[in-house]
Amino acid sequence: MRARLLEATVELLVERGYAGTSTTLVSERAGVSRGAQLHHFPSKQDLVVAAVQHVTEVRGRELEEAARRLPRGARRTRAVLRMLGDHFSSPVFAAALELWVAARTDEALLAEVAPLERELGRHTHRLTVELLGADESVPGVRELVQATLDLVRGLGLANTITDDAHRRRRILDQWALTLDGALGTPGENA
Amino acid sequence: MRARLLEATVELLVERGYAGTSTTLVSERAGVSRGAQLHHFPSKQDLVVAAVQHVTEVRGRELEEAARRLPRGARRTRAVLRMLGDHFSSPVFAAALELWVAARTDEALLAEVAPLERELGRHTHRLTVELLGADESVPGVRELVQATLDLVRGLGLANTITDDAHRRRRILDQWALTLDGALGTPGENA
């Protein structure tokens, strides 16, 4: 029942945004009584934070799963970047974006969202370093990994109001070539 | 009076978000009667779209002004990127973000915001090409300029929920070095 409520919440965040998501709509969508819902999640804030946390965990596991199937060798960086780009352009990113933007002007929500976001950022950073085989003891490498993640976040934002998949792929493929040059990883030019 | 209404709207978008901005609050803040306000802007949508357009134009002119004062030579790329990074982390970016995110789940608003966003994107792209002295006839250069703008957009988003100025500067300074290498522009290493 808990999972049903959380998944209904994410669906509504994606379809109607933060302002358009109400606890009434969530209980209707999930087919759960108001009483049972209030027992699990007393407020809208409890519900949306738990929902975004839940799907972030699920998606994080999917990402690690997908990462295990990535090719080794010359085309690896490109495959890693395409995977990250798709991850940050998913419906879950849209749900998280709704939460971040709402938190910007809602102190109580921000107090919940900011630590969640920091933890997620650290986790994604560690995973990216590992996937790229980047050596962060080399000056500048840490910043390039961070730049890569800020880039895919920016691409994710662009994708929310237009279908940007084609442009995203061209940009990330070029970024992969540049990154291979800068990181000394074995790229297409090797 | 028109400018007062538009500036009050942007202030409210920054402080209270899209959902928290109402035409009543705007007329109060601007010190303009409801009747006069409705004469200029019949709906909230008319008001917020015009407001974001207005400040985007003002900020665009400020950006071009600032661009004229940028240094030439080895440190130019770094200065260009810092300027763009600050531009995408300003309160006006937060106001525009509120509008984009609201437009994601509001078709009528999206029909107004999408062309505005495309035009702004083209303008910022042209300006960035010019400022960096980038030659887009060289394969890959166009994509690196676009990546740079998606990167600063991602950094702008990160900055909305934490003060990210220090991290942003480190990332952009490193990207400037990498970009100079990739574009063949005269960088710090020249």
Side-chain angles (χ1 to χ4, degrees), chain A residues 154-164 167, chain B residues 48-49 52-54 56-57 87-88 92-101 103-104 109-126 146 149-150 152-154:
Chain A
L155 289 168
L157 182 56
N159 195 65
T160 57
I161 63 170
T162 45
D163 176 9
D164 202 38
R167 192 185 73 98
Chain B
V48 294
V49 170
V52 172
Q53 191 159 22
H54 168 72
T56 301
E57 280 163 16
H87 186 68
F88 277 79
V92 173
F93 177 80
L97 180 65
E98 290 288 340
L99 200 57
W100 296 336
V101 170
R104 197 184 67 77
L109 187 58
L110 184 59
E112 299 265 7
V113 170
L116 193 69
E117 179 52 21
R118 270 196 298 276
E119 175 50 33
L120 178 66
R122 275 195 291 265
H123 179 259
T124 316
H125 185 95
R126 272 197 305 273
Q146 289 186 327
L149 291 170
D150 284 294
V152 290
R153 189 189 295 118

Side-chain angles (χ1 to χ4, degrees), chain A residues 71-175:
Chain A
R72 300 261 149 208
R75 299 204 157 190
R76 182 169 176 87
T77 302
R78 192 170 81 175
V80 170
L81 296 193
R82 285 182 177 187
M83 189 189 77
L84 288 171
D86 292 345
H87 186 69
F88 277 79
S89 301
S90 70
V92 173
F93 177 80
L97 180 64
E98 290 288 340
L99 199 58
W100 297 337
V101 169
R104 198 184 66 77
T105 52
D106 180 336
E107 257 183 71
L109 187 58
L110 184 59
E112 300 264 8
V113 169
L116 193 69
E117 179 51 22
R118 268 196 299 276
E119 175 50 33
L120 179 66
R122 273 195 293 263
H123 179 260
T124 316
H125 185 95
R126 271 196 306 272
L127 181 66
T128 307
V129 166
E130 201 186 301
L131 292 177
L132 293 173
D135 178 1
E136 291 201 302
S137 68
V138 175
V141 166
R142 184 174 172 75
E143 285 74 16
L144 285 174
V145 172
Q146 289 185 324
T148 301
L149 291 170
D150 284 294
L151 168 64
V152 290
R153 190 190 294 119
L155 289 168
L157 182 56
N159 195 65
T160 57
I161 63 170
T162 45
D163 176 9
D164 202 38
H166 181 70
R167 192 185 73 98
R168 179 166 74 247
R169 181 155 285 206
R170 281 194 300 102
I171 290 173
L172 288 177
D173 287 357
Q174 182 56 48
W175 187 273

Side-chain angles (χ1 to χ4, degrees), chain A residues 15-67:
Chain A
E15 289 167 27
R16 305 199 181 196
Y18 184 84
T21 297
S22 67
T23 52
T24 313
L25 282 173
V26 170
S27 58
E28 278 172 24
R29 169 82 56 118
V32 167
S33 75
R34 288 285 286 157
Q37 188 210 47
L38 290 171
H39 173 72
H40 281 89
F41 303 101
S43 74
K44 174 177 170 179
Q45 179 171 317
D46 296 326
L47 193 56
V48 294
V49 170
V52 172
Q53 192 159 22
H54 168 72
V55 290
T56 301
E57 280 162 16
V58 172
R59 289 277 302 162
R61 282 197 295 273
E62 285 174 9
L63 194 65
E64 288 179 18
E65 194 66 38

Side-chain angles (χ1 to χ4, degrees), chain B residues 22-71:
Chain B
S22 68
T23 52
T24 313
L25 281 172
V26 170
S27 59
E28 277 172 25
R29 169 81 57 118
V32 166
S33 76
R34 290 284 287 157
Q37 190 211 45
L38 290 170
H39 173 73
H40 282 88
F41 303 103
S43 74
K44 174 175 170 179
Q45 179 171 316
D46 297 326
L47 193 56
V48 294
V49 170
V52 172
Q53 191 159 22
H54 168 72
V55 289
T56 301
E57 280 163 16
V58 172
R59 290 275 304 161
R61 283 197 295 274
E62 285 173 10
L63 193 65
E64 288 180 17
E65 193 69 36
R68 274 187 223 112
R69 294 189 299 266
L70 288 173

Side-chain angles (χ1 to χ4, degrees), chain B residues 1 7 12 17 26 33 36-37 48 58 63 71-72 80 84 89 98 100 109 127 130-131 144 154 174 177:
Chain B
M1 182 191 290
E7 274 147 32
L12 284 164
V26 170
S33 76
Q37 190 211 45
V48 294
V58 172
L63 193 65
R72 300 261 150 209
V80 170
L84 288 171
S89 300
E98 290 288 340
W100 296 336
L109 187 58
L127 181 66
E130 201 186 302
L131 291 177
L144 287 175
Q174 179 56 47
L177 289 173

